[in-house]
Amino acid sequence: MGEDRSVRHEVRSIEASRVVEAPAAQVFSFLSDPVNHVAFDTSGMVRGSTTGATIAGVDDVFVMNMHNAIKSNHQVENHIVVYEPDRAIGWAPAEPGHTPAGHTWTWRLAPAAPDRTVVSLTYDWSRFSHIEMLDHLPVINCAQLLASLDRLAEAL
């Protein structure tokens, strides 16, 4: 397991990768269903999806129930900004009714064998526009990003 994982940390982004023992189509299908997002959350903030629909393309929005020390219980709209079936999916969180704040979560999938996929997860806050909240970013660290990938692998 350890030999199939890596981390890269830029100034305002973190990327982690690992090999998952599942085909890219299966990984993409799992990530496209917001109900599954609790399974790979390592921030402790994701409580569940309010949306029953599977993500179908760019500009879709799914809503998650969240909890953290700053806002307590709240909801976040996640705007789909990347959607390439079986290759990549990404979203930009926003306060309900507002434009995204400028941070994104992007999952990239690269088939490594028929039943193996290199999954890369990037958390990027380089365009975050809420200056008053910037000190609270990143919301997760490198170890948590890797743990998210591990949880995804376990869930599949």
Side-chain angles (χ1 to χ4, degrees), residues 5-50:
R5 301 178 348 154
S6 66
V7 174
R8 188 185 70 180
H9 186 202
E10 298 293 327
V11 174
R12 289 175 67 184
S13 71
I14 306 168
E15 180 181 298
S17 300
R18 75 156 282 174
V19 174
V20 171
E21 300 295 326
Q26 181 182 352
V27 178
F28 188 84
S29 177
F30 190 85
L31 294 171
S32 297
D33 187 347
V35 169
N36 295 328
H37 293 196
V38 173
F40 54 77
D41 171 52
T42 56
S43 71
M45 293 187 286
V46 177
R47 298 297 190 244
S49 173
T50 67

Side-chain angles (χ1 to χ4, degrees), residues 11-147:
V11 174
R12 289 175 67 184
S13 71
I14 306 168
E15 180 181 298
S17 300
R18 75 156 282 174
V19 174
V20 171
E21 300 295 326
Q26 181 182 352
V27 178
F28 188 84
S29 177
F30 190 85
L31 294 171
S32 297
D33 187 347
V35 169
N36 295 328
H37 293 196
V38 173
F40 54 77
D41 171 52
T42 56
S43 71
M45 293 187 286
V46 177
R47 298 297 190 244
S49 173
T50 67
T51 310
T54 299
I55 298 163
V58 171
D59 296 329
D60 275 5
V61 176
F62 66 94
V63 179
M64 298 298 282
N65 289 322
M66 307 288 284
H67 179 87
N68 64 33
I70 297 169
K71 295 183 178 182
S72 193
N73 293 325
H74 63 286
Q75 291 186 327
V76 171
E77 291 179 350
N78 293 286
H79 298 251
I80 300 302
V81 294
V82 175
Y83 187 88
E84 300 170 26
D86 303 341
R87 292 287 188 211
I89 189 166
W91 50 88
E95 294 292 326
H98 293 86
T99 58
H103 56 147
T104 59
W105 301 88
T106 305
W107 300 77
R108 299 211 178 271
L109 314 175
D115 291 329
R116 298 182 85 204
T117 304
V118 177
V119 180
S120 299
L121 171 56
T122 303
Y123 173 55
D124 183 334
W125 65 101
S126 62
R127 293 187 173 107
F128 196 75
S129 59
H130 297 178
I131 302 302
E132 70 281 358
M133 297 298 291
L134 201 52
D135 289 343
H136 299 286
L137 298 178
V139 296
I140 63 169
N141 60 34
C142 294
Q144 289 172 295
L145 209 64
L146 277 171

